[in-house]
Amino acid sequence: MATFMKAVTYCDGLPLILKRCKYVTPNRLTFMIKHCSISTQSHENYDIIISGGGMVGTTLACAIANNRKLECKNILLLESGKQFEYRSQEKYSNRVVALNQQSRTLFSSIGAWQHIEAIRYGTVQKMQVWDACSDAMIVFNEDYLMKEIAYIVENDLLLHAVNKQLANKENVNVIYNSKVENIKLPKTPEENAEIQLQDGTKYKTKLLVGADGAHSLVRQTMGTQYVKWDYNQLGIVATLKLSEPAENNVAWQRFLPTGPIALLPLTNCLSSLVWTLPTDEAKRLLKVSEEEFVDNVNNALWKIYPKDGIVESGLRALQQLLEGLSLQSGVVRQLQPSVSTIVEGSRAAFPLQFGHSVSYVQIGTVLVGQDAAHRIHPLAGQGVNLGFGDVTVLVQLLAEAVSTGASLGDITYLRKYETLRQRYNVPIMLAIDTLHRLYKGTAAPIILARSLGLQLTNAIPLIKVKQHN
């Protein structure tokens, strides 16, 4: 007992540890003394520094602090913007995310989902995707076997929910308006990463996480190759009022020759628009009157395009083949809604690009999330979900590293993270890029090929389930 009390006496920062850790037993306290590194200069040295306080970076900070094996670690979150303030208002934001079940589980696990539930979100119980140049279509969850397949949440509300949880994490320090000027990465496992802000403040850390956007300074300092290209398109977003109130729980997506248009359910009378268009056309639609804009939206949803005879014949042949194999040859199409008005001031647009870092990790350094590590076309709504998937896997592996006595910046665990995430992210990214290019084509053979693929996928449940997951 005397030895134990001596260890307690000489453990710097122990009162702070005790405040941070919820469940303390003698064995657990001994473990914390051994493994929890609390510096006497807590404002200069951190176990983990996360550069970038967007949705992914903030969620990562909260998830690490929420993990039983990592809750004692000192975390610094650097946010280049001002402190976020959420103001609940009747008008919906025009920027939303479509969270899948895995992301929903992540937010439930860190306690953030309860705050979203208390305010508002939309649910997708069915998804209908169809080709404007043919009658080909695919429907997910047409029998409503799953209660919900996605959740539509405003970006601001999601960030508010995570920040509310983060406020209770005493081992997380957030610095706003923190412009990073210089980064020095470790060359050996014994070294720490160093980061300097524009005001001259310097910090050291065992693990530097880059969640700092498309122009990530962390990624640039790593010197890793970044593969990217511009789609020469803009994604128009807006909040739309439907012509008739209904049980609005279907996500609609129509592939047009100019790019896909999608409506995501918010309420019984409101939907969120995500419309991909060539840059010049998108800029034109941002300037037209609200009435003309609504007319263009309805035209995009309802316009009947001329059908090519080759495409029609090919689809009929496939239908006969499927019927001969006793497979589902088609689905009952549900008519999409019409739009009556646009919520004033909700129109905006953002550029669409592809980007992927060839490497996600170095010694003591790791990239996470949408933009910093990867960036994809929004047609499948998977960009931010890939980022939240990065968060889940990284936290699991950091907890595993701590359990085995390894350093947080141990390259073995970081490379395992990189391998797991690239095996998951890259196929999805390439598939979405291929889909985008395939639906840009207007030649009959291309339309036929994609239409046959869509109908065949819809007819075989196993393929459809895998595609959706």
Side-chain angles (χ1 to χ4, degrees), residues 49-346:
I49 293 180
I50 302 171
S51 180
M55 288 189 293
V56 173
T58 305
T59 300
L60 176 61
C62 194
I64 292 173
N66 196 68
N67 187 281
R68 288 282 299 274
K69 296 176 182 177
L70 299 171
E71 64 183 357
C72 304
K73 300 300 178 183
N74 263 344
I75 304 165
L76 175 64
L77 178 62
L78 298 174
E79 166 54 53
S80 61
K82 62 182 180 180
Q83 185 169 358
F84 176 78
E85 292 184 12
Y86 177 76
R87 296 178 181 177
S88 181
Q89 53 187 356
E90 185 177 345
K91 185 162 66 172
Y92 276 75
S93 168
N94 59 8
R95 295 301 300 270
V96 302
V97 292
L99 300 178
N100 59 23
Q101 288 288 353
Q102 290 75 20
S103 296
R104 156 76 187 266
T105 299
L106 169 63
F107 288 107
S108 294
S109 71
I110 63 176
W113 189 255
Q114 62 180 326
H115 305 305
I116 295 172
E117 280 186 317
I119 300 178
R120 63 191 183 193
Y121 66 95
T123 59
V124 177
Q125 296 182 0
K126 179 179 176 181
M127 184 172 184
Q128 182 171 295
V129 181
W130 72 106
D131 190 336
C133 297
S134 71
D135 292 326
M137 66 181 299
I138 187 169
V139 178
F140 295 102
N141 203 31
E142 62 267 35
D143 298 321
Y144 293 92
L145 298 178
M146 294 180 289
K147 187 176 181 182
E148 288 130 1
I149 59 177
Y151 307 87
I152 311 303
V153 183
E154 297 156 276
N155 292 20
D156 287 352
L157 175 54
L158 188 67
L159 197 55
H160 161 71
V162 179
N163 274 323
K164 199 161 185 177
Q165 286 301 105
L166 199 61
N168 299 322
K169 308 298 181 183
E170 296 185 15
N171 58 325
V172 180
N173 183 26
V174 184
I175 301 179
Y176 297 96
N177 298 309
S178 54
K179 311 295 184 183
V180 179
E181 185 173 85
N182 187 52
I183 296 173
K184 182 181 178 182
L185 300 180
K187 296 181 180 179
T188 66
E190 292 74 27
E191 295 178 347
N192 288 333
E194 298 179 11
I195 191 165
Q196 180 180 337
L197 305 185
Q198 284 184 354
D199 64 5
T201 310
K202 295 180 180 179
Y203 301 97
K204 290 185 178 182
T205 182
K206 296 170 184 175
L207 178 65
L208 175 61
V209 181
D212 47 346
H215 304 291
S216 169
L217 183 58
V218 175
R219 186 185 66 233
Q220 292 175 30
T221 307
M222 288 170 65
T224 182
Q225 183 181 359
Y226 188 66
V227 180
K228 65 176 182 178
W229 52 79
D230 198 312
Y231 287 116
N232 298 313
Q233 294 177 320
L234 293 180
I236 293 183
V237 293
T239 306
L240 305 176
K241 186 174 182 180
L242 305 182
S243 297
E244 295 181 2
E247 188 178 3
N248 188 21
N249 59 10
V250 180
W252 311 90
Q253 185 169 50
R254 191 185 195 199
F255 280 96
L256 305 165
T258 52
I261 182 171
L263 293 181
L264 306 174
L266 294 174
T267 69
N268 285 343
C269 59
L270 293 177
S271 284
S272 183
L273 171 74
V274 183
W275 188 5
T276 298
L277 286 162
T279 300
D280 291 342
E281 176 64 8
K283 289 181 177 179
R284 183 189 73 81
L285 287 175
L286 289 175
K287 296 177 182 178
V288 301
S289 67
E290 292 184 354
E291 292 78 9
E292 185 177 348
F293 182 81
V294 170
D295 288 343
N296 277 268
V297 170
N298 283 321
N299 186 59
L301 290 169
W302 287 94
K303 179 181 177 180
I304 298 175
Y305 287 78
K307 304 297 188 292
D308 188 279
I310 297 175
V311 176
E312 296 278 87
S313 298
L315 286 173
R316 280 195 299 269
L318 176 62
Q319 182 175 343
Q320 292 173 359
L321 175 63
L322 294 174
E323 289 174 350
L325 296 172
S326 298
L327 290 173
Q328 179 181 340
S329 59
V331 292
V332 178
R333 177 178 170 182
Q334 183 176 346
L335 291 180
Q336 64 273 26
S338 294
V339 175
S340 62
T341 57
I342 177 176
V343 174
E344 184 180 358
S346 67

